Structure formats: structure tokens, C-alpha cells
Amino acid sequence: MQERYTLTAIIFHWLIAVLIVGAFIMGLVMTDIPGLTPTKVRYYSWHKWAGVTVLALAALRLLWRLTHAAPAYPASMPAWQKGAAHGLHGMLYLLMFAVPLSGYLYTLSAGIPVVYFGLFELPIIIAADPELKPVLKGVHYWLNMALAGAVAMHVAAALKHQFIDRDGVLKRMLP
């Protein structure tokens, strides 16, 4: 078993992370812009493009992960932490698919096609539905909040393992 993630896995991780954070911030900003302005329309387009890109990269990342083993957890890591890490990674993968898919369905329920980078229209898999639109809006919002929470836990765990030893003591950072 390898000791580190592959360069490909690391690139997938950081590309997806940057896109998720950017799309999340864009989503918060764009929904606070009053009315229908060119800026708001532009932000919505960028948000959708980021979501579609996250979905595609998440699919590629999952295929990569299924064919390349992840590094083993440290032997000193308690079993409950291994279980929590495994569960959190599973949740992150699930949400990397669920969030953009819910946004896509929400957009379609509003009767708006998704045109990726202005180049091609994604398939319309559901018809416009004014009754479904608010439901999907809520689903998309709460899945985003769940993703934000999962990302925060992931970052906190990474920092904990980077800077605090098994006994809860701050690791020495300088030689």
C-alpha cells in the first residue's frame, strides 16, 4: 500500500475543492443581488458552470479512486477516527454529486436550460414545474449547507492531524 496519494488524486482534490468553495461563495453572493441584472445572470452562469465542472471532476475522481488505493490510515490512529474519516469521505463524495445534480434539477424545474460555457446545452431531463421548483431550491440549499459543514469538518480534521499529536499536544513546527 502506498504512503501518499497520487499526484492525480491530489490535483482532483484541489481542483474540486477550489471549485466547490468558489461556487458556494458565488451562490451566496448571487442570491443577494436584487432584481435581474446582467451581473446576477453572469454569476448564475458561472455558478452553474462550476457545478457542472465539479460533477464531471467528481465522476473522474471517483473512477480514479476506484482503480487506485488510498494510503492506509496511520496505525496509531484510533479505530473511531478511522471510521469517522471513512464516513466523512463517503459523505463528501455523495455531496459532490448530490449538490450539482440538485442545482441542475432546480434550474430545469424553473424552465431554464443549462448551457455549459455557452457551448452546449445539457439534456433537459425534467420539464419545468413551478410546484417542484421551490422544493428543489430547498433541497439544493440544504445540501449545500451539509457540504459546507462536511468541508469544515474535513479541514478541521486535516489541521488536527497536521498540528496536534495523538496525545493532544501541539506538534513542534520549527526544527
Side-chain angles (χ1 to χ4, degrees):
M1 175 129 334
Q2 62 190 24
E3 290 185 27
R4 292 181 41 93
Y5 281 97
T6 64
L7 179 59
T8 303
I10 292 168
I11 290 170
F12 277 137
H13 175 275
W14 286 108
L15 277 175
I16 292 169
V18 167
L19 285 167
I20 286 172
V21 170
F24 185 81
I25 292 169
M26 184 88 49
L28 293 175
V29 170
M30 72 189 194
T31 55
D32 281 344
I33 298 173
L36 186 62
T37 66
T39 299
K40 187 172 189 171
V41 170
R42 188 175 326 112
Y43 286 4
Y44 267 85
S45 293
W46 293 346
H47 179 78
K48 291 174 191 178
W49 298 342
V52 171
T53 304
V54 165
L55 185 60
L57 288 173
L60 291 172
R61 179 180 178 166
L62 182 59
L63 288 172
W64 181 264
R65 176 64 185 85
L66 292 173
T67 59
H68 296 79
Y73 293 119
S76 62
M77 188 176 193
W80 73 267
Q81 284 184 8
K82 291 177 185 177
H86 186 70
L88 182 57
H89 281 121
M91 181 186 297
L92 286 166
Y93 272 101
L94 176 70
L95 291 168
M96 283 189 290
F97 287 95
V99 169
L101 286 172
S102 68
Y104 177 50
L105 294 174
Y106 166 51
T107 299
L108 294 178
S109 73
I112 301 168
V114 177
V115 182
Y116 189 62
F117 284 106
L119 299 174
F120 61 91
E121 187 175 319
L122 273 62
I124 297 174
I125 56 176
I126 64 168
D129 186 338
E131 291 179 11
L132 186 57
K133 179 184 168 190
V135 172
L136 289 171
K137 180 180 182 179
V139 167
H140 186 59
Y141 174 83
W142 287 109
L143 286 173
N144 269 287
M145 293 303 116
L147 180 58
V151 166
M153 286 190 290
H154 178 67
V155 169
L159 290 172
K160 185 258 183 220
H161 288 290
Q162 184 68 34
F163 297 115
I164 299 174
D165 69 16
R166 183 181 164 101
D167 298 320
V169 177
L170 187 63
K171 293 179 182 176
R172 185 172 176 188
M173 301 208 213
L174 299 173

